[in-house]
Amino acid sequence: MWKEENDQLKATFKFKDFTQAFSFMTEVAFQAEKLQHHPDWHNVYNTVDFALSTHDAGNKVTDKDRDLAKAIDGIYERFK
């Protein structure tokens, strides 16, 4: 689901409605805080877009991004 382009990991997740998308984002926020790696993300209604990169590494994709992407995938699985 994740694509690496322009030094970012990108993915889009769709949900039943805004409430489900927001619930997903809340869970991701707690996980991101735990990992101390916060995503660039965008939400419109039932869609959440991510563009992950590590700012401290010159805005390149690092293991921090891959770890967060894996965690996001795990959270998404519970919403399917």
Side-chain angles (χ1 to χ4, degrees), residues 12-62:
T12 298
F13 297 86
K14 294 206 179 244
F15 300 89
K16 178 179 68 170
D17 55 26
F18 175 76
T19 301
Q20 192 178 59
F22 194 86
S23 296
F24 166 77
M25 291 176 68
T26 301
E27 287 195 39
V28 170
F30 283 113
Q31 185 64 34
E33 188 65 18
K34 182 178 174 182
L35 295 173
Q36 287 298 296
H37 192 55
H38 305 95
D40 289 330
W41 55 2
H42 180 78
N43 165 246
V44 175
Y45 183 58
N46 69 332
T47 304
V48 181
D49 297 305
F50 289 90
L52 305 179
S53 65
T54 302
H55 305 294
D56 294 344
N59 295 316
K60 302 286 183 192
V61 175
T62 68

